[in-house]
Amino acid sequence: MKVTMLWQYHQAKKPSAMFTSDWLSAKEALIIADDLEKIGRLKDIEFKDEKGTSWTKKEMQKLLTEIEHEPQDVTVYFDGGYHKDSKMTGIGVVLYYKQGRETFRIRLNGLLEELESNNEAEYAAFYEAVNQLEILGVHHQIVTFHGDSQVVLNQLSGEWPCFEKVLNAWGDRIEEKLKKLGITPIYDPITRKKNAEADQLASQALRGEEIFSQLQVT
């Protein structure tokens, strides 16, 4: 969880001033706030998260205690591959997240039937990624989605229009579930090379190799 700090410097008979910090992890911000209080120059402090919600120091401490064991700082990679001749679809999803002080990775794929195009395969992969976020218990936070499909990411972000009924239906389902989970998405198009993990999973699915793994990473 990232926050920015807004605090007022104050000392008797001297000018006061307001300061704003860079973006910090919430834990780092609380350490700095404690240090400012110790030197006796802190009159007031406020924490603001990435959604613009404001928190007092006491509220921030309580929040961090409550979410200590929940997944945080989630990053998603997704990819879909469509085989035109067989009309089979392979999807690949990779999730990175922190829980407590540890970082974890989930890798999974799936084989689907009856889709109509590579773009629909990409939407299906994205939708499965959101399903996995729900299973993991990710809610009310910002999540970054990386993929090499310019079409899907730009349509979901509203940068590009979507005129295909089938793709619009996928988009509606995705937006509905993101809203239900309180997830604010960041859509980040990347190159196919940078999306190699998810791409490989989708290809393995098309070859009949089913994969699911969850492990701690360094």
Side-chain angles (χ1 to χ4, degrees):
M1 179 180 182
K2 297 289 186 180
V3 299
T4 185
M5 301 166 52
L6 295 86
W7 76 92
Q8 184 176 6
Y9 171 88
H10 176 78
Q11 186 176 8
K13 298 182 181 180
K14 290 188 177 181
S16 63
M18 294 295 299
F19 293 91
T20 303
S21 75
D22 294 329
W23 288 101
L24 306 161
S25 73
K27 289 183 179 179
E28 292 172 333
L30 284 173
I31 291 171
I32 293 171
D34 286 339
D35 192 55
L36 290 170
E37 285 181 336
K38 286 177 183 178
I39 63 175
R41 300 291 186 269
L42 183 64
K43 183 177 181 181
D44 192 24
I45 190 166
E46 175 185 356
F47 302 86
K48 188 168 290 189
D49 66 21
E50 293 165 297
K51 291 186 176 182
T53 304
S54 295
W55 310 80
T56 65
K57 184 184 175 189
K58 187 175 181 180
E59 289 170 338
M60 181 58 60
Q61 290 171 324
K62 181 181 179 182
L63 176 66
L64 290 189
T65 299
E66 291 174 349
I67 68 174
E68 182 178 4
H69 300 295
E70 293 184 0
Q72 298 292 322
D73 298 333
V74 184
T75 300
V76 175
Y77 293 83
F78 72 96
D79 194 40
Y82 180 70
H83 195 282
K84 188 175 180 179
D85 293 335
S86 65
K87 295 187 178 180
M88 300 298 290
T89 295
I91 61 173
V93 174
V94 184
L95 309 177
Y96 287 92
Y97 63 96
K98 292 182 180 178
Q99 201 158 8
R101 296 182 179 181
E102 310 296 341
T103 300
F104 296 88
R105 182 191 69 189
I106 294 176
R107 299 169 68 246
L108 63 105
N109 66 2
L111 187 63
L112 307 177
E113 299 180 72
E114 300 182 357
L115 301 189
E116 299 177 0
S117 67
N118 194 71
N119 285 335
E120 188 179 6
E122 295 279 5
Y123 268 101
F126 194 109
Y127 185 73
E128 180 57 32
V130 180
N131 281 335
Q132 291 300 319
L133 294 179
E134 184 175 28
I135 293 169
L136 191 59
V138 177
H139 62 93
H140 296 91
Q141 58 179 284
I142 294 173
V143 175
T144 300
F145 293 87
H146 301 287
D148 55 58
S149 173
Q150 294 277 344
V151 171
V152 171
L153 294 175
N154 283 305
Q155 286 180 347
L156 287 174
S157 68
E159 292 293 321
W160 292 2
C162 181
F163 300 110
E164 297 182 49
K165 186 176 180 179
V166 171
L167 301 187
N168 266 319
W170 279 105
D172 289 343
R173 288 195 289 268
I174 288 167
E175 289 175 2
E176 181 179 351
K177 189 170 284 289
L178 290 174
K179 184 177 180 181
K180 172 188 172 185
L181 298 175
I183 290 174
T184 300
I186 295 176
Y187 303 110
D188 183 29
I190 57 176
T191 64
R192 192 176 187 84
K193 184 177 180 180
K194 290 183 178 179
N195 202 32
E197 263 192 304
D199 176 67
Q200 181 180 7
L201 287 165
S203 297
Q204 288 173 306
L206 285 169
R207 295 196 298 268
E209 302 172 29
E210 185 178 350
I211 294 171
F212 179 89
S213 69
Q214 183 173 11
L215 54 82
Q216 182 179 336
V217 295
T218 55

